[in-house]
Short mmCIF file of all heavy atoms in Angstrom, two decimals:
data_model
loop_
_atom_site.label_atom_id
_atom_site.label_comp_id
_atom_site.label_asym_id
_atom_site.label_seq_id
_atom_site.Cartn_x
_atom_site.Cartn_y
_atom_site.Cartn_z
N ALA W 232 6.38 -11.86 -4.43
CA ALA W 232 6.52 -10.59 -3.70
C ALA W 232 5.18 -9.89 -3.59
O ALA W 232 4.87 -9.26 -2.56
CB ALA W 232 7.54 -9.69 -4.42
N LEU W 233 4.35 -9.98 -4.63
CA LEU W 233 3.02 -9.37 -4.59
C LEU W 233 2.15 -10.02 -3.52
O LEU W 233 1.46 -9.32 -2.77
CB LEU W 233 2.35 -9.50 -5.96
CG LEU W 233 0.91 -8.98 -6.05
CD1 LEU W 233 0.84 -7.51 -5.74
CD2 LEU W 233 0.33 -9.28 -7.43
N VAL W 234 2.18 -11.34 -3.43
CA VAL W 234 1.40 -12.04 -2.41
C VAL W 234 1.83 -11.60 -1.01
O VAL W 234 0.99 -11.30 -0.15
CB VAL W 234 1.56 -13.57 -2.56
CG1 VAL W 234 0.90 -14.30 -1.39
CG2 VAL W 234 0.95 -14.03 -3.88
N LEU W 235 3.13 -11.50 -0.78
CA LEU W 235 3.62 -11.06 0.52
C LEU W 235 3.25 -9.61 0.79
O LEU W 235 2.89 -9.25 1.92
CB LEU W 235 5.15 -11.23 0.57
CG LEU W 235 5.68 -12.66 0.45
CD1 LEU W 235 7.20 -12.67 0.46
CD2 LEU W 235 5.13 -13.55 1.56
N LEU W 236 3.32 -8.76 -0.24
CA LEU W 236 2.94 -7.36 -0.07
C LEU W 236 1.48 -7.23 0.33
O LEU W 236 1.14 -6.46 1.23
CB LEU W 236 3.19 -6.59 -1.37
CG LEU W 236 2.66 -5.14 -1.41
CD1 LEU W 236 3.34 -4.30 -0.34
CD2 LEU W 236 2.88 -4.53 -2.79
N VAL W 237 0.61 -7.99 -0.32
CA VAL W 237 -0.82 -7.92 0.01
C VAL W 237 -1.06 -8.38 1.45
O VAL W 237 -1.85 -7.78 2.18
CB VAL W 237 -1.64 -8.77 -0.98
CG1 VAL W 237 -3.10 -8.84 -0.54
CG2 VAL W 237 -1.55 -8.19 -2.38
N ALA W 238 -0.36 -9.43 1.87
CA ALA W 238 -0.52 -9.91 3.24
C ALA W 238 -0.05 -8.87 4.25
O ALA W 238 -0.73 -8.61 5.25
CB ALA W 238 0.26 -11.22 3.42
N ILE W 239 1.10 -8.27 4.00
CA ILE W 239 1.63 -7.26 4.92
C ILE W 239 0.75 -6.01 4.91
O ILE W 239 0.47 -5.42 5.97
CB ILE W 239 3.08 -6.91 4.54
CG1 ILE W 239 3.99 -8.11 4.85
CG2 ILE W 239 3.57 -5.67 5.28
CD1 ILE W 239 5.40 -7.96 4.35
N ALA W 240 0.29 -5.61 3.73
CA ALA W 240 -0.61 -4.46 3.66
C ALA W 240 -1.91 -4.72 4.39
O ALA W 240 -2.53 -3.81 4.95
CB ALA W 240 -0.89 -4.11 2.20
N TRP W 241 -2.34 -5.98 4.41
CA TRP W 241 -3.56 -6.35 5.14
C TRP W 241 -3.38 -6.16 6.64
O TRP W 241 -4.29 -5.70 7.33
CB TRP W 241 -3.92 -7.79 4.82
CG TRP W 241 -5.22 -8.24 5.39
CD1 TRP W 241 -5.43 -9.22 6.31
CD2 TRP W 241 -6.53 -7.75 5.05
NE1 TRP W 241 -6.76 -9.36 6.59
CE2 TRP W 241 -7.46 -8.47 5.82
CE3 TRP W 241 -6.99 -6.77 4.18
CZ2 TRP W 241 -8.83 -8.23 5.75
CZ3 TRP W 241 -8.35 -6.53 4.10
CH2 TRP W 241 -9.26 -7.26 4.89
N VAL W 242 -2.20 -6.48 7.15
CA VAL W 242 -1.90 -6.23 8.56
C VAL W 242 -1.98 -4.74 8.85
O VAL W 242 -2.59 -4.31 9.84
CB VAL W 242 -0.51 -6.78 8.93
CG1 VAL W 242 -0.10 -6.35 10.34
CG2 VAL W 242 -0.49 -8.31 8.82
N TRP W 243 -1.35 -3.95 7.98
CA TRP W 243 -1.38 -2.49 8.18
C TRP W 243 -2.81 -1.96 8.10
O TRP W 243 -3.23 -1.15 8.93
CB TRP W 243 -0.50 -1.79 7.14
CG TRP W 243 -0.46 -0.30 7.32
CD1 TRP W 243 0.44 0.40 8.06
CD2 TRP W 243 -1.36 0.66 6.76
NE1 TRP W 243 0.16 1.75 8.00
CE2 TRP W 243 -0.95 1.94 7.20
CE3 TRP W 243 -2.47 0.58 5.92
CZ2 TRP W 243 -1.61 3.11 6.84
CZ3 TRP W 243 -3.14 1.75 5.57
CH2 TRP W 243 -2.71 2.99 6.02
N THR W 244 -3.57 -2.38 7.10
CA THR W 244 -4.92 -1.87 6.89
C THR W 244 -5.82 -2.16 8.07
O THR W 244 -6.54 -1.28 8.56
CB THR W 244 -5.53 -2.50 5.62
OG1 THR W 244 -4.74 -2.14 4.49
CG2 THR W 244 -6.96 -2.02 5.41
N GLN W 245 -5.80 -3.41 8.54
CA GLN W 245 -6.68 -3.76 9.66
C GLN W 245 -6.28 -3.06 10.94
O GLN W 245 -7.14 -2.65 11.73
CB GLN W 245 -6.67 -5.28 9.85
CG GLN W 245 -7.26 -6.04 8.68
CD GLN W 245 -8.67 -5.58 8.34
OE1 GLN W 245 -9.60 -5.76 9.11
NE2 GLN W 245 -8.83 -4.95 7.19
N THR W 246 -5.00 -2.86 11.16
CA THR W 246 -4.56 -2.13 12.34
C THR W 246 -4.94 -0.66 12.23
O THR W 246 -5.36 -0.04 13.21
CB THR W 246 -3.03 -2.27 12.52
OG1 THR W 246 -2.69 -3.66 12.56
CG2 THR W 246 -2.58 -1.60 13.80
N ALA W 247 -4.81 -0.10 11.03
CA ALA W 247 -5.20 1.30 10.82
C ALA W 247 -6.69 1.50 11.06
O ALA W 247 -7.11 2.52 11.61
CB ALA W 247 -4.82 1.75 9.41
N ARG W 248 -7.49 0.54 10.66
CA ARG W 248 -8.94 0.65 10.89
C ARG W 248 -9.26 0.55 12.38
O ARG W 248 -10.16 1.22 12.87
CB ARG W 248 -9.68 -0.42 10.10
CG ARG W 248 -9.63 -0.20 8.59
CD ARG W 248 -10.47 -1.21 7.86
NE ARG W 248 -11.89 -0.97 8.04
CZ ARG W 248 -12.61 -0.12 7.32
NH1 ARG W 248 -12.04 0.60 6.37
NH2 ARG W 248 -13.89 0.03 7.55
N VAL W 249 -8.53 -0.27 13.10
CA VAL W 249 -8.74 -0.39 14.54
C VAL W 249 -8.43 0.93 15.24
O VAL W 249 -9.19 1.43 16.06
CB VAL W 249 -7.89 -1.53 15.13
CG1 VAL W 249 -7.85 -1.45 16.66
CG2 VAL W 249 -8.45 -2.88 14.69
N THR W 250 -7.27 1.52 14.90
CA THR W 250 -6.90 2.78 15.54
C THR W 250 -7.75 3.94 15.05
O THR W 250 -7.80 4.99 15.68
CB THR W 250 -5.41 3.08 15.28
OG1 THR W 250 -5.14 3.04 13.87
CG2 THR W 250 -4.52 2.08 15.99
N GLY W 251 -8.44 3.76 13.89
CA GLY W 251 -9.38 4.77 13.44
C GLY W 251 -10.71 4.68 14.15
O GLY W 251 -11.47 5.64 14.21
N GLN W 252 -11.02 3.50 14.69
CA GLN W 252 -12.29 3.28 15.38
C GLN W 252 -12.17 3.41 16.90
O GLN W 252 -13.14 3.74 17.58
CB GLN W 252 -12.82 1.89 15.02
CG GLN W 252 -13.18 1.74 13.55
CD GLN W 252 -13.26 0.28 13.12
OE1 GLN W 252 -12.95 -0.62 13.90
NE2 GLN W 252 -13.65 0.04 11.88
N LEU W 253 -10.97 3.12 17.42
CA LEU W 253 -10.76 3.15 18.86
C LEU W 253 -9.84 4.29 19.25
O LEU W 253 -9.07 4.80 18.44
CB LEU W 253 -10.15 1.82 19.32
CG LEU W 253 -10.94 0.55 18.97
CD1 LEU W 253 -10.23 -0.68 19.52
CD2 LEU W 253 -12.36 0.62 19.45
N ASN W 254 -9.91 4.66 20.51
CA ASN W 254 -9.12 5.76 21.03
C ASN W 254 -7.68 5.31 21.27
O ASN W 254 -7.42 4.51 22.18
CB ASN W 254 -9.75 6.25 22.34
CG ASN W 254 -9.01 7.44 22.93
OD1 ASN W 254 -8.04 7.93 22.36
ND2 ASN W 254 -9.47 7.90 24.08
N PRO W 255 -6.71 5.80 20.49
CA PRO W 255 -5.33 5.34 20.64
C PRO W 255 -4.67 5.79 21.94
O PRO W 255 -3.55 5.36 22.24
CB PRO W 255 -4.62 5.96 19.41
CG PRO W 255 -5.45 7.14 19.06
CD PRO W 255 -6.86 6.79 19.40
N ARG W 256 -5.35 6.63 22.73
CA ARG W 256 -4.80 7.04 24.01
C ARG W 256 -5.11 6.06 25.14
O ARG W 256 -4.56 6.17 26.23
CB ARG W 256 -5.34 8.42 24.39
CG ARG W 256 -4.91 9.52 23.42
CD ARG W 256 -5.43 10.87 23.87
NE ARG W 256 -5.04 11.93 22.94
CZ ARG W 256 -5.35 13.21 23.09
NH1 ARG W 256 -6.08 13.58 24.12
NH2 ARG W 256 -4.96 14.10 22.19
N ARG W 257 -5.99 5.13 24.87
CA ARG W 257 -6.36 4.15 25.89
C ARG W 257 -5.30 3.05 25.97
O ARG W 257 -4.84 2.52 24.95
CB ARG W 257 -7.72 3.54 25.56
CG ARG W 257 -8.85 4.55 25.56
CD ARG W 257 -9.16 5.03 26.95
NE ARG W 257 -9.66 3.91 27.76
CZ ARG W 257 -9.75 3.93 29.09
NH1 ARG W 257 -9.35 5.00 29.75
NH2 ARG W 257 -10.22 2.88 29.75
N PRO W 258 -4.87 2.68 27.19
CA PRO W 258 -3.82 1.67 27.36
C PRO W 258 -4.09 0.35 26.65
O PRO W 258 -3.16 -0.22 26.04
CB PRO W 258 -3.74 1.49 28.88
CG PRO W 258 -4.17 2.82 29.43
CD PRO W 258 -5.23 3.31 28.49
N PRO W 259 -5.33 -0.21 26.67
CA PRO W 259 -5.53 -1.48 25.94
C PRO W 259 -5.28 -1.35 24.44
O PRO W 259 -4.74 -2.28 23.82
CB PRO W 259 -7.01 -1.81 26.22
CG PRO W 259 -7.34 -1.08 27.47
CD PRO W 259 -6.54 0.19 27.40
N VAL W 260 -5.65 -0.20 23.87
CA VAL W 260 -5.43 0.01 22.44
C VAL W 260 -3.94 0.14 22.16
O VAL W 260 -3.41 -0.41 21.19
CB VAL W 260 -6.19 1.25 21.95
CG1 VAL W 260 -5.94 1.49 20.46
CG2 VAL W 260 -7.68 1.11 22.22
N GLN W 261 -3.23 0.85 23.02
CA GLN W 261 -1.78 0.99 22.86
C GLN W 261 -1.09 -0.37 22.96
O GLN W 261 -0.18 -0.67 22.19
CB GLN W 261 -1.25 1.95 23.92
CG GLN W 261 -1.72 3.38 23.76
CD GLN W 261 -1.26 4.29 24.88
OE1 GLN W 261 -0.69 3.84 25.87
NE2 GLN W 261 -1.51 5.59 24.73
N ALA W 262 -1.54 -1.20 23.92
CA ALA W 262 -0.95 -2.53 24.08
C ALA W 262 -1.17 -3.36 22.82
O ALA W 262 -0.27 -4.09 22.37
CB ALA W 262 -1.54 -3.22 25.30
N LEU W 263 -2.36 -3.26 22.24
CA LEU W 263 -2.67 -4.01 21.03
C LEU W 263 -1.78 -3.58 19.87
O LEU W 263 -1.23 -4.42 19.15
CB LEU W 263 -4.14 -3.80 20.66
CG LEU W 263 -4.61 -4.44 19.35
CD1 LEU W 263 -4.44 -5.95 19.39
CD2 LEU W 263 -6.06 -4.07 19.05
N VAL W 264 -1.61 -2.28 19.70
CA VAL W 264 -0.79 -1.78 18.59
C VAL W 264 0.68 -2.15 18.79
O VAL W 264 1.36 -2.57 17.84
CB VAL W 264 -0.96 -0.25 18.45
CG1 VAL W 264 0.01 0.30 17.40
CG2 VAL W 264 -2.40 0.10 18.07
N LEU W 265 1.18 -2.03 20.00
CA LEU W 265 2.58 -2.38 20.26
C LEU W 265 2.83 -3.87 20.03
O LEU W 265 3.87 -4.26 19.49
CB LEU W 265 2.96 -1.97 21.68
CG LEU W 265 3.03 -0.46 21.94
CD1 LEU W 265 3.26 -0.18 23.42
CD2 LEU W 265 4.11 0.19 21.10
N ALA W 266 1.87 -4.70 20.44
CA ALA W 266 2.01 -6.14 20.20
C ALA W 266 2.00 -6.43 18.70
O ALA W 266 2.76 -7.29 18.22
CB ALA W 266 0.88 -6.89 20.90
N THR W 267 1.16 -5.70 17.96
CA THR W 267 1.13 -5.87 16.51
C THR W 267 2.45 -5.46 15.89
O THR W 267 2.92 -6.07 14.92
CB THR W 267 -0.03 -5.06 15.91
OG1 THR W 267 -1.26 -5.45 16.52
CG2 THR W 267 -0.13 -5.29 14.41
N MET W 268 3.07 -4.41 16.43
CA MET W 268 4.36 -3.97 15.92
C MET W 268 5.42 -5.06 16.07
O MET W 268 6.21 -5.31 15.15
CB MET W 268 4.82 -2.70 16.66
CG MET W 268 4.05 -1.45 16.29
SD MET W 268 4.61 -0.01 17.23
CE MET W 268 6.27 0.18 16.61
N VAL W 269 5.42 -5.72 17.23
CA VAL W 269 6.39 -6.80 17.44
C VAL W 269 6.16 -7.90 16.41
O VAL W 269 7.10 -8.40 15.78
CB VAL W 269 6.26 -7.36 18.87
CG1 VAL W 269 7.17 -8.59 19.03
CG2 VAL W 269 6.64 -6.30 19.89
N GLY W 270 4.89 -8.27 16.23
CA GLY W 270 4.57 -9.30 15.25
C GLY W 270 4.95 -8.89 13.85
O GLY W 270 5.48 -9.70 13.07
N ALA W 271 4.72 -7.61 13.50
CA ALA W 271 5.04 -7.12 12.16
C ALA W 271 6.54 -7.14 11.91
O ALA W 271 6.99 -7.39 10.78
CB ALA W 271 4.48 -5.71 11.97
N LEU W 272 7.33 -6.88 12.94
CA LEU W 272 8.79 -6.96 12.78
C LEU W 272 9.24 -8.38 12.50
O LEU W 272 10.09 -8.62 11.63
CB LEU W 272 9.47 -6.43 14.05
CG LEU W 272 9.50 -4.90 14.20
CD1 LEU W 272 9.99 -4.53 15.59
CD2 LEU W 272 10.40 -4.27 13.15
N VAL W 273 8.67 -9.34 13.23
CA VAL W 273 9.00 -10.75 12.98
C VAL W 273 8.54 -11.15 11.59
O VAL W 273 9.27 -11.83 10.84
CB VAL W 273 8.35 -11.64 14.06
CG1 VAL W 273 8.62 -13.12 13.74
CG2 VAL W 273 8.88 -11.30 15.44
N LEU W 274 7.33 -10.73 11.22
CA LEU W 274 6.79 -11.03 9.89
C LEU W 274 7.72 -10.50 8.80
O LEU W 274 8.01 -11.20 7.82
CB LEU W 274 5.40 -10.40 9.77
CG LEU W 274 4.54 -10.81 8.57
CD1 LEU W 274 4.04 -12.23 8.75
CD2 LEU W 274 3.37 -9.85 8.42
N SER W 275 8.19 -9.27 8.98
CA SER W 275 9.06 -8.65 7.99
C SER W 275 10.41 -9.36 7.91
O SER W 275 10.97 -9.52 6.82
CB SER W 275 9.26 -7.17 8.33
OG SER W 275 8.02 -6.48 8.39
N ALA W 276 10.91 -9.77 9.06
CA ALA W 276 12.19 -10.48 9.07
C ALA W 276 12.11 -11.81 8.34
O ALA W 276 13.12 -12.29 7.79
CB ALA W 276 12.65 -10.70 10.51
N ALA W 277 10.92 -12.39 8.29
CA ALA W 277 10.74 -13.67 7.61
C ALA W 277 10.50 -13.52 6.12
O ALA W 277 10.51 -14.52 5.38
CB ALA W 277 9.58 -14.43 8.25
N VAL W 278 10.29 -12.30 5.63
CA VAL W 278 9.92 -12.07 4.23
C VAL W 278 10.97 -12.55 3.22
O VAL W 278 10.62 -13.23 2.25
CB VAL W 278 9.58 -10.58 4.00
CG1 VAL W 278 9.63 -10.22 2.52
CG2 VAL W 278 8.19 -10.27 4.55
N PRO W 279 12.25 -12.22 3.37
CA PRO W 279 13.22 -12.59 2.32
C PRO W 279 13.26 -14.08 2.00
O PRO W 279 13.51 -14.46 0.86
CB PRO W 279 14.56 -12.10 2.89
CG PRO W 279 14.18 -10.97 3.80
CD PRO W 279 12.90 -11.39 4.42
N GLU W 280 12.98 -14.95 2.98
CA GLU W 280 12.98 -16.39 2.75
C GLU W 280 11.60 -17.00 2.99
O GLU W 280 11.48 -18.18 3.31
CB GLU W 280 14.01 -17.06 3.66
CG GLU W 280 15.45 -16.71 3.36
CD GLU W 280 15.92 -17.29 2.04
OE1 GLU W 280 15.36 -18.32 1.60
OE2 GLU W 280 16.84 -16.71 1.42
N ALA W 281 10.56 -16.17 2.81
CA ALA W 281 9.21 -16.64 3.10
C ALA W 281 8.79 -17.80 2.20
O ALA W 281 7.99 -18.64 2.59
CB ALA W 281 8.20 -15.49 2.97
N PHE W 282 9.32 -17.84 0.99
CA PHE W 282 9.03 -18.96 0.09
C PHE W 282 10.15 -20.00 0.14
O PHE W 282 10.30 -20.81 -0.77
CB PHE W 282 8.80 -18.45 -1.33
CG PHE W 282 7.45 -17.79 -1.49
CD1 PHE W 282 7.31 -16.43 -1.25
CD2 PHE W 282 6.34 -18.53 -1.83
CE1 PHE W 282 6.07 -15.82 -1.38
CE2 PHE W 282 5.10 -17.94 -1.96
CZ PHE W 282 4.96 -16.58 -1.73
N GLY W 283 10.89 -19.95 1.24
CA GLY W 283 11.94 -20.92 1.48
C GLY W 283 11.87 -21.41 2.91
O GLY W 283 10.82 -21.87 3.38
N LYS W 284 12.95 -21.24 3.65
CA LYS W 284 13.06 -21.85 4.98
C LYS W 284 12.28 -21.14 6.07
O LYS W 284 12.05 -21.72 7.14
CB LYS W 284 14.54 -21.94 5.37
CG LYS W 284 15.23 -20.59 5.45
CD LYS W 284 16.71 -20.77 5.75
CE LYS W 284 17.43 -19.42 5.82
NZ LYS W 284 18.88 -19.61 6.09
N THR W 285 11.85 -19.88 5.87
CA THR W 285 11.11 -19.17 6.92
C THR W 285 9.61 -19.09 6.61
O THR W 285 8.90 -18.28 7.19
CB THR W 285 11.66 -17.74 7.11
OG1 THR W 285 11.55 -17.02 5.86
CG2 THR W 285 13.10 -17.76 7.55
N GLY W 286 9.14 -19.94 5.72
CA GLY W 286 7.72 -19.91 5.36
C GLY W 286 6.80 -20.15 6.53
O GLY W 286 5.78 -19.48 6.70
#
Side-chain angles (χ1 to χ4, degrees):
L233 176 61
V234 172
L235 297 177
L236 172 62
V237 173
I239 290 172
W241 186 243
V242 172
W243 182 91
T244 298
Q245 295 306 293
T246 305
R248 292 185 72 84
V249 167
T250 54
Q252 295 161 355
L253 304 182
N254 182 1
R256 297 182 181 180
R257 298 289 296 165
V260 179
Q261 294 176 352
L263 176 61
V264 174
L265 291 174
T267 304
M268 288 179 66
V269 174
L272 283 170
V273 176
L274 191 72
S275 302
V278 162
E280 293 292 334
F282 285 89
K284 61 184 179 181
T285 59

